[in-house]
Amino acid sequence: MRSVQVFLMAFVPLLFFSCENSSLGMVGTMPPSHQLWNELVKANVKADGMVDYRGFIREKPKLETYLKLLSENAPDRKTWPKNEQLAYWINAYNAFTVKLIIDHYPVQSIRDLGPSLKIPGLKDVWHYEFFQIGGVDASLDEIEHGILRKEFDEPRIHFAINCASVSCPPLLNEAFTSEKLESQLNKVALAFVNDRLRNRISADRAELSSIFSWFKEDFTKKGTLIDFLNRYSQVKLKPDAKISFLDYNWALNE
C-alpha cells in the first residue's frame, strides 16, 4: 500500500506540471478549413446533440481526412488570431472524441475506453494519446486542460466540447469557426444552462450539472457562480439561492 502511495505522490505533480505549457502547435501553418467537419456533424448529429455513430462510421474516410488536416495544420500561437485557435481546438477535441468512439464501437460509455492500465484521475481515456497534433502525441486531456482552460479565458468552452456522454453539453451540429465563434459560444451556453435535462433552475434553487462543480473556478473568475448563471438563465436566481449538483450520466450520447 505504501508503495502505491509513494508512486501517486511522485506521479501527480508530474501530471499537473505537464499540462502547464502544452507543446502542441506549429510555426508557419495556415488555419485549416472546418468544412468537412461541418458536413459530418450536420449529417450525423441531431438538433438535440444525439449522435449517429454508425453514420460517422459510414463516413469514416471523410472524418479521417479532416483529422489529418487538423494534425498537419496545428495552430501557430504567434500568427493565428485567438478566435481561429479556439475554434480549431474545440473542433479538434470533438472530432477526435468521435474518432475514439467509432474506433471502438459499439461501446456503452467513453469511460470504458483508453489505456488498459487505469488509475482513476491519473490514467484514463482522456489521457490516452491516440492521435498527433503537429507530429506530437496528444490526448483529449491535454487539449482540454493544457490548452483550452489554460490559454483561453473562456468558460463557455465547457459547453462547446463534448465528451460523448448523455450528461455532456450536446455536440453542436455545425463546426465552430472564427467568424461565428462568439455567437456559437453564446448559443451553446444559453442552450445548456436552460436545458431542463441537465440543469433545473428556479429563483430559489438550482440543481446543476456537475460541470459547474468540477470547473467552478472557471465560472467564478468574474463573480459568483450565480452571477455567471444569470447571464444565460431564463429564470434568474436570487443571490442566496440554494445550489446542488446532479449525478452525471456517462452513457453514450446516441
Side-chain angles (χ1 to χ4, degrees):
M1 181 65 181
R2 180 170 177 78
S3 62
V4 173
Q5 292 175 332
V6 170
F7 169 77
L8 292 177
M9 290 174 64
F11 183 75
V12 171
L14 290 175
L15 174 69
F16 286 99
F17 178 79
S18 68
C19 288
E20 286 184 1
N21 296 291
S22 174
S23 61
L24 300 185
M26 298 180 68
V27 176
T29 59
M30 294 293 290
S33 169
H34 299 292
Q35 181 59 34
L36 290 176
W37 180 240
N38 194 65
E39 294 170 4
L40 285 163
V41 291
K42 280 187 179 299
N44 300 295
V45 180
K46 294 182 180 180
D48 63 359
M50 289 294 103
V51 181
D52 178 5
Y53 288 106
R54 290 183 174 87
F56 271 108
I57 290 172
R58 289 191 294 270
E59 296 196 80
K60 190 172 183 178
K62 180 185 283 191
L63 177 61
E64 295 284 5
T65 298
Y66 175 65
L67 296 177
K68 185 173 186 291
L69 189 65
L70 293 179
S71 293
E72 296 177 352
N73 294 276
D76 181 344
R77 291 172 175 82
K78 294 181 180 179
T79 62
W80 286 29
K82 276 290 185 179
N83 273 8
E84 198 75 67
Q85 295 181 50
L86 185 51
Y88 172 99
W89 290 118
I90 292 172
N91 290 331
Y93 186 98
N94 291 336
F96 279 110
T97 296
V98 168
K99 173 180 170 54
L100 179 66
I101 297 299
I102 67 172
D103 280 352
H104 298 86
Y105 193 86
V107 63
Q108 297 298 312
S109 170
I110 189 173
R111 295 204 299 180
D112 296 336
L113 307 178
S116 56
L117 172 63
K118 291 180 172 63
I119 303 173
L122 298 179
K123 192 162 186 164
D124 54 27
V125 63
W126 289 280
H127 296 95
Y128 178 34
E129 294 181 336
F130 66 94
F131 59 96
Q132 289 194 334
I133 299 291
V136 179
D137 291 340
S139 68
L140 296 174
D141 180 86
E142 184 168 6
I143 291 179
E144 180 178 8
H145 301 290
I147 297 175
L148 286 171
R149 294 185 63 215
K150 287 191 176 294
E151 297 184 15
F152 302 90
D153 183 18
E154 182 48 80
R156 291 174 297 177
I157 60 105
H158 294 294
F159 314 130
I161 58 175
N162 178 269
C163 63
S165 303
V166 169
S167 286
C168 290
L171 179 60
L172 188 64
N173 61 351
E174 63 182 50
F176 286 87
T177 63
S178 61
E179 299 82 8
K180 297 168 61 179
L181 188 61
E182 181 61 26
S183 64
Q184 289 176 316
L185 290 175
N186 271 330
K187 177 180 179 178
V188 295
L190 285 164
F192 184 72
V193 170
N194 293 289
D195 184 346
R196 291 283 299 171
L197 294 176
R198 296 170 174 87
N199 298 285
R200 301 163 192 165
I201 298 175
S202 63
D204 299 306
R205 178 183 178 84
E207 296 176 276
L208 302 176
S209 165
S210 292
I211 287 173
F212 290 108
S213 174
W214 299 333
F215 305 111
K216 185 177 180 180
E217 64 184 274
D218 294 353
F219 299 112
T220 56
K221 290 180 179 179
K222 299 177 181 178
T224 66
L225 181 56
I226 288 176
D227 290 335
F228 179 87
L229 291 167
N230 279 342
R231 293 177 208 160
Y232 303 100
S233 179
Q234 295 170 348
V235 177
K236 303 307 178 186
L237 285 155
K238 295 178 181 178
D240 60 349
K242 184 178 180 180
I243 302 293
S244 60
F245 300 99
L246 300 167
D247 291 336
Y248 212 76
N249 184 350
W250 290 101
L252 194 66
N253 59 338
E254 67 171 348

